[in-house]
Amino acid sequence: MRIVLLAASAALIASSAAQAADLPATARSLSEKALSDSTAWDLTESLTTEVGARPQGSAGMERARDWGVAKLKALGFENVHVETFETESWLRGAESAEVVSPYPQKLQILGLGRSAPTPAGGIEAEIALFDSLDAMLAQPEGALKGKIVVVTQKMRRTQDISGYASGVQARSAGAEAAKRGAVAYLVRSISTDDTRLPHGGGGAMAGIPMAALSPPDAELLERMVVRGKPVKIKLSMASTFRAKAPAYNVVGEIKGREKPDEVIVIGGHLDSWDAGTGAIDDASGIGITTAAAKLIAGLPERPRRTIRVVMWGAEEQGGSGAAYAEAHKDEVGKIIVAGESDLGAGQIFAARLPAGSHDHPAMKAFEAAMAPLKTIVSGAPAEEGGADVEGLKRLGTPVVELQQDASRYFDLHHSADDTLDKVDPKELAQNVAVWTAFVYAVADSDIDFRTTAAAQAQ
Amino acid sequence: MRIVLLAASAALIASSAAQAADLPATARSLSEKALSDSTAWDLTESLTTEVGARPQGSAGMERARDWGVAKLKALGFENVHVETFETESWLRGAESAEVVSPYPQKLQILGLGRSAPTPAGGIEAEIALFDSLDAMLAQPEGALKGKIVVVTQKMRRTQDISGYASGVQARSAGAEAAKRGAVAYLVRSISTDDTRLPHGGGGAMAGIPMAALSPPDAELLERMVVRGKPVKIKLSMASTFRAKAPAYNVVGEIKGREKPDEVIVIGGHLDSWDAGTGAIDDASGIGITTAAAKLIAGLPERPRRTIRVVMWGAEEQGGSGAAYAEAHKDEVGKIIVAGESDLGAGQIFAARLPAGSHDHPAMKAFEAAMAPLKTIVSGAPAEEGGADVEGLKRLGTPVVELQQDASRYFDLHHSADDTLDKVDPKELAQNVAVWTAFVYAVADSDIDFRTTAAAQAQ
């Protein structure tokens, strides 16, 4: 038995050695190839040009679903299919806002998801303006009765998502304003630019009309308010809301050669907000992850494990990640790792790997491919894998976090300015290179992130 | 007689010497004071906040007129009055555009001045797209029958106005498109930015609907067209046009102490397009020139000549300069020099003086004040004094051209992005410093630009 065991161990060592020798070279050559591959750009260009805006529940989303199926099939993916579910759909109607007194001026607004419409004739009311969310929250209940509450807090520009994370609460504070008596809620766009384009996004259900103001409009109201006279605004907003509307996760696979039931789940989200064409949010994420899988599929031999690309269908309005986890809960033990690309097309500056995996040969192979890409393997473990893999993560799936430079992302995010010309093809390709190296290293090895995490935890 | 003549000459020399000694020091100290004076900013802030958009013929323009009168009076100007005239007024109504096939998407447009409205139900037609104006002009008459003609030529970014001057013809080519059979005309914004905000402006009367596309929308149409299928657009545009509507030039003076009938005419234009709040076009020009006059009025002794500030009322739609020249044609011989500040709020990098005036002591005094302001006195003479002094120039009035850095101007010009936050208070103050030094040097000397020009011409 001992001899047998030794032999088995020797075989294991030989196998690991072979794997270690192969993996770094292949990861490196794949990521080099990715830098000059146009698949991600072509997909991003195609989705933004041929489909454009595609909010959940719209005709655009149905075209996007068909686009996803057609593209995955054309690229040679297997098991291409649509997983249908139901989730919320808020669709914008006509919107306008203006100061009616004392200084009549038009305002640029964009209604927030889940906003109530105004009555047909609009709402006209005096504003109560706060330059921070905290100042508004410090008001007692009922203190803002009949007012259009305006919060003009500014967002910080940061390389990572921290500026957004600390600013976005203001977008969801409509219910807090309503609780204090507000008849409507306006918030300075959660954005870092200075254009007259407001940045929308989802708000919390509050039963009142809610909209984002462009930064110059928020500052205009601030200047009006300091002059001392009451500022009155007229707001007209239409929208339709369905608590349950058909939604679609579009899926394709590159089947593994040895362990096809062991799966790496990657993707971006197919839906977008409606003001722009959803280029950086998130056609680029769709392009990056689909291109990475396609590049790996082009190897002479398929990797051991299956690579599954998911184009999640309702990230913005919520529900696609939960639906995916619910549909795949029985498979979760076989999902090796999951990750979503959903912070634009800026370069990946750091990779946060699943806890404890850093010293595994597969991750060393990945790291060896990163130097030319200027991506650091972070000392910190992955915390967030993206909104659409949050459901899987809760069920125990390890996640990876490939951190994109978001310095410019919030100049564009959720605004009409989210268009293809904002995507830099070279930065996009760098993303593909990093994803390709990571996904390949996991798919063609036997790394088990649950084991590495458990080993570290001990 | 000879003795008498010598005495007179000696007196003249003494007078010139005294003037030469005074002028440089005062010009320099005034321009230094201008750098920390907030008048220009306060005016720009006030006009954009309290009035906002003010297209010729609108209620906003009437508020702007009243604002101008009130501000000039409050600042201590004399002879404050309104000169009423009539000119064109084109006012925007609701506008929308969308690709209906093969890739349905909304487009961001802004109707051009003098555009015809569409019929109530809109126009739906196939597009004929040209990536240069020349390519469209190369089409024979009738060749574009029934088409919505699209010209997507790009504008160059330049420090001076040359990029705009060579690009703006495309905005006025609607009549050329109509001549070739077009049912509507769309042009890529004459702008240098990449936002989704179209840049409007005046078009030539063509009898068809005409609008500017945002740069990303122009590029979107280019990408659709290369795919080969006919691209069909639906365009809906409303507007009102009056060939004659009341218009207003608002005037105030700082009366000269010795020769009040000799006048320096400076100003900006009070009207604006309607998408933005007219901050750089041209609240800043109003602020700069009014502040310069006000600073000079603060001297212990008034300058010899009168400084007149004119807030021209219809630069964008045209007519205020012609009306001003017509109303003042009998006074033209007494107008020493005229100049308009109308290229934003970027720093003045060069001063082009009236021909042949460079060596006059007054202009030497001006030049001596320029070094700390990083403004070069150009070797080239002034050619353009601004659209609103063109009429005076044609009647023989010398003009001055204080050239502003326009590198960023066409990112903002005629778009919703023309808002106060785009004005840099320090750059604005540098403008005031240059104008103050120039206007003071002319107002407190006896320089006669007609004589210097004639001397040079000999």
Side-chain angles (χ1 to χ4, degrees):
Chain A
M1 291 295 282
R2 187 172 173 79
I3 291 167
V4 171
L5 271 172
L6 275 171
S9 287
L12 194 65
I13 288 160
S15 159
S16 284
Q19 171 186 300
D22 258 351
L23 272 186
T26 308
R28 179 74 169 259
S29 78
L30 275 172
S31 66
E32 276 171 12
K33 196 172 173 193
L35 293 177
S36 58
D37 183 81
S38 71
T39 309
W41 174 264
D42 293 344
L43 289 167
T44 307
E45 195 267 359
S46 172
L47 182 54
T48 53
T49 305
E50 295 168 21
V51 179
R54 44 201 181 275
Q56 155 57 9
S58 70
M61 184 61 226
E62 294 188 1
R63 285 194 294 271
R65 173 201 61 203
D66 297 343
W67 175 94
V69 168
K71 286 291 174 189
L72 288 169
K73 285 184 178 169
L75 289 168
F77 281 77
E78 296 143 333
N79 189 24
V80 175
H81 65 279
V82 176
E83 300 181 7
T84 302
F85 58 100
E86 285 189 320
T87 191
E88 292 180 6
S89 167
W90 181 91
L91 296 174
R92 188 184 317 283
E95 296 176 339
S96 68
E98 58 187 310
V99 175
V100 289
S101 66
Y103 313 113
Q105 291 215 34
K106 287 186 183 164
L107 298 171
Q108 306 284 328
I109 61 161
L110 200 56
L112 299 177
R114 302 195 185 87
S115 170
T118 60
I123 287 178
E124 198 173 305
E126 195 180 315
I127 67 171
L129 186 144
F130 302 93
D131 64 5
S132 75
L133 176 58
D134 286 347
M136 191 272 277
L137 296 177
Q139 301 293 310
E141 285 201 13
L144 304 173
K145 194 165 156 56
K147 296 287 200 296
I148 294 177
V149 166
V150 183
V151 171
T152 61
Q153 179 172 295
K154 281 187 191 177
M155 176 186 157
R156 285 180 303 123
R157 186 186 296 273
T158 55
Q159 185 184 28
D160 63 7
I161 203 169
S162 62
Y164 183 68
S166 67
V168 73
Q169 294 96 318
R171 203 176 69 205
S172 301
E176 294 297 326
K179 200 186 290 178
R180 287 159 179 81
V183 294
Y185 180 64
L186 298 176
V187 62
R188 180 183 166 125
S189 290
I190 313 303
S191 70
T192 47
D193 65 317
D194 65 359
T195 74
R196 199 87 186 272
L197 294 168
H199 300 240
M205 191 72 76
I208 59 172
M210 308 181 293
L213 287 161
S214 89
D217 288 275
E219 292 174 13
L220 179 66
L221 291 180
E222 289 176 337
R223 295 197 305 273
M224 287 185 179
V225 163
V226 296
R227 282 161 157 81
K229 293 181 192 162
V231 175
K232 197 176 275 188
I233 282 180
K234 179 169 182 187
L235 196 64
S236 296
M237 292 172 61
S239 57
T240 55
F241 180 75
R242 286 173 288 167
K244 289 190 175 187
Y248 316 98
N249 290 331
V250 179
V251 185
E253 292 183 335
I254 305 297
K255 281 283 178 200
R257 74 170 191 277
E258 278 183 13
K259 299 183 171 179
D261 60 334
E262 292 188 3
V263 182
I264 295 118
V265 173
I266 60 172
H269 65 84
L270 194 54
D271 67 315
S272 74
W273 281 109
D274 57 325
T277 63
I280 61 155
D281 190 14
D282 186 30
S284 54
I286 296 280
I288 290 162
T289 51
T290 305
K294 166 71 182 160
L295 275 162
I296 297 166
L299 285 171
E301 191 175 50
R302 284 289 173 92
R304 296 173 174 179
R305 291 160 160 170
T306 291
I307 303 166
R308 183 182 298 162
V309 170
V310 186
M311 300 177 177
W312 283 284
E315 193 276 338
E316 298 297 0
Q317 306 211 23
S320 45
Y324 192 80
E326 175 61 25
H328 295 267
K329 61 188 174 193
D330 295 338
E331 186 197 24
V332 154
K334 293 287 193 181
I335 300 180
I336 305 302
V337 68
E340 183 176 21
S341 172
D342 183 22
L343 202 59
Q347 291 211 136
I348 295 174
F349 64 92
R352 292 187 171 197
L353 305 177
S357 67
H358 183 275
D359 293 330
H360 188 282
M363 292 299 96
K364 286 291 173 196
F366 165 66
E367 186 171 20
M370 290 302 99
L373 303 174
K374 298 186 181 170
T375 299
I376 301 299
V377 175
S378 172
E383 288 180 352
E384 308 293 337
D388 284 312
V389 301
E390 189 60 27
L392 290 177
K393 189 184 141 201
R394 282 200 201 123
L395 296 177
T397 302
V399 297
V400 65
E401 190 175 350
L402 301 177
Q403 295 188 285
Q404 294 170 291
D405 182 349
S407 305
R408 196 190 175 203
Y409 185 69
F410 294 101
D411 289 351
L412 310 170
H413 174 253
H414 291 186
S415 82
D417 245 349
D418 182 1
T419 51
L420 181 68
D421 54 298
K422 312 307 187 303
V423 176
D424 179 328
K426 282 192 181 165
E427 296 192 357
L428 189 72
Q430 189 264 8
N431 274 266
V432 180
V434 175
W435 277 92
T436 301
F438 176 80
V439 172
Y440 168 72
V442 177
D444 216 12
S445 74
D446 58 4
I447 188 167
D448 179 348
F449 294 111
R450 289 172 176 85
T451 311
T452 60
Q456 191 184 53
Q458 275 171 2
Chain B
M1 289 294 282
R2 186 169 175 80
I3 292 167
V4 173
L5 273 171
L6 275 172
S9 286
L12 193 66
I13 288 161
S15 158
S16 284
Q19 170 188 300
D22 256 351
L23 272 185
T26 308
R28 179 74 169 260
S29 79
L30 274 172
S31 67
E32 275 171 13
K33 197 172 171 191
L35 292 177
S36 57
D37 184 80
S38 71
T39 308
W41 174 263
D42 293 344
L43 289 168
T44 307
E45 194 267 359
S46 173
L47 182 54
T48 53
T49 305
E50 295 168 20
V51 179
R54 45 200 182 276
Q56 155 57 9
S58 70
M61 184 62 227
E62 295 189 357
R63 285 195 295 273
R65 173 200 61 202
D66 297 344
W67 175 94
V69 168
K71 285 293 173 186
L72 288 169
K73 285 185 177 169
L75 289 168
F77 281 76
E78 295 142 333
N79 189 24
V80 175
H81 65 280
V82 177
E83 300 181 7
T84 301
F85 58 101
E86 286 189 320
T87 191
E88 291 180 7
S89 167
W90 180 91
L91 296 174
R92 188 184 318 282
E95 296 175 340
S96 69
E98 59 187 307
V99 176
V100 289
S101 68
Y103 313 112
Q105 292 216 34
K106 287 186 183 163
L107 298 171
Q108 305 285 328
I109 60 160
L110 200 56
L112 298 177
R114 302 195 185 90
S115 170
T118 61
I123 286 177
E124 199 173 304
E126 195 179 316
I127 67 171
L129 185 144
F130 302 93
D131 64 5
S132 74
L133 176 58
D134 286 346
M136 190 271 277
L137 296 178
Q139 300 295 310
E141 285 202 13
L144 304 173
K145 194 166 157 54
K147 297 286 199 298
I148 295 178
V149 167
V150 183
V151 171
T152 62
Q153 179 171 295
K154 281 188 192 177
M155 175 186 157
R156 284 180 305 123
R157 186 185 295 273
T158 54
Q159 186 186 26
D160 63 8
I161 203 169
S162 62
Y164 183 69
S166 67
V168 72
Q169 293 96 317
R171 202 176 69 206
S172 300
E176 295 297 326
K179 200 187 290 179
R180 288 158 179 80
V183 295
Y185 180 64
L186 298 176
V187 61
R188 180 182 166 125
S189 291
I190 314 302
S191 70
T192 47
D193 65 318
D194 65 359
T195 74
R196 198 87 186 272
L197 293 168
H199 300 239
M205 192 72 75
I208 58 172
M210 308 181 291
L213 288 160
S214 90
D217 288 274
E219 292 174 14
L220 179 67
L221 291 180
E222 288 175 336
R223 295 197 306 272
M224 287 184 179
V225 163
V226 295
R227 282 163 159 79
K229 292 182 192 162
V231 175
K232 197 177 273 188
I233 282 181
K234 179 170 180 185
L235 195 64
S236 296
M237 294 172 60
S239 56
T240 55
F241 179 76
R242 286 174 288 167
K244 289 189 174 189
Y248 317 97
N249 289 331
V250 179
V251 185
E253 292 183 336
I254 305 297
K255 281 282 178 200
R257 72 172 192 277
E258 279 183 11
K259 299 183 171 176
D261 59 332
E262 292 188 5
V263 182
I264 295 118
V265 172
I266 60 172
H269 66 83
L270 194 55
D271 66 315
S272 75
W273 281 110
D274 57 325
T277 64
I280 61 154
D281 191 14
D282 184 30
S284 54
I286 296 279
I288 289 163
T289 50
T290 306
K294 167 71 182 161
L295 275 162
I296 298 167
L299 285 172
E301 190 175 51
R302 286 287 174 91
R304 294 173 175 179
R305 291 160 160 170
T306 291
I307 302 166
R308 182 183 298 162
V309 171
V310 185
M311 301 176 176
W312 283 284
E315 192 278 335
E316 298 298 1
Q317 307 211 22
S320 45
Y324 192 80
E326 174 63 24
H328 295 268
K329 60 188 174 193
D330 295 337
E331 187 197 25
V332 156
K334 293 287 192 180
I335 300 180
I336 305 302
V337 68
E340 182 174 23
S341 172
D342 183 23
L343 200 60
Q347 292 211 135
I348 294 174
F349 64 92
R352 292 188 171 196
L353 304 177
S357 67
H358 184 274
D359 292 331
H360 187 282
M363 292 300 94
K364 285 292 172 197
F366 165 66
E367 186 172 21
M370 290 302 98
L373 303 174
K374 298 185 181 169
T375 298
I376 301 299
V377 175
S378 172
E383 288 179 356
E384 307 294 336
D388 285 311
V389 301
E390 189 60 27
L392 290 178
K393 188 184 142 201
R394 282 199 202 126
L395 296 177
T397 302
V399 297
V400 65
E401 190 174 350
L402 301 177
Q403 294 188 287
Q404 294 171 290
D405 183 349
S407 305
R408 195 189 176 205
Y409 185 68
F410 295 101
D411 289 350
L412 311 169
H413 174 253
H414 293 186
S415 82
D417 245 349
D418 181 0
T419 51
L420 181 69
D421 53 298
K422 312 307 187 304
V423 177
D424 179 328
K426 282 192 181 164
E427 296 192 355
L428 189 72
Q430 189 265 6
N431 274 268
V432 180
V434 175
W435 277 92
T436 301
F438 176 79
V439 172
Y440 169 72
V442 177
D444 217 12
S445 74
D446 57 5
I447 189 167
D448 178 348
F449 295 111
R450 289 172 176 85
T451 310
T452 60
Q456 193 185 52
Q458 276 170 3

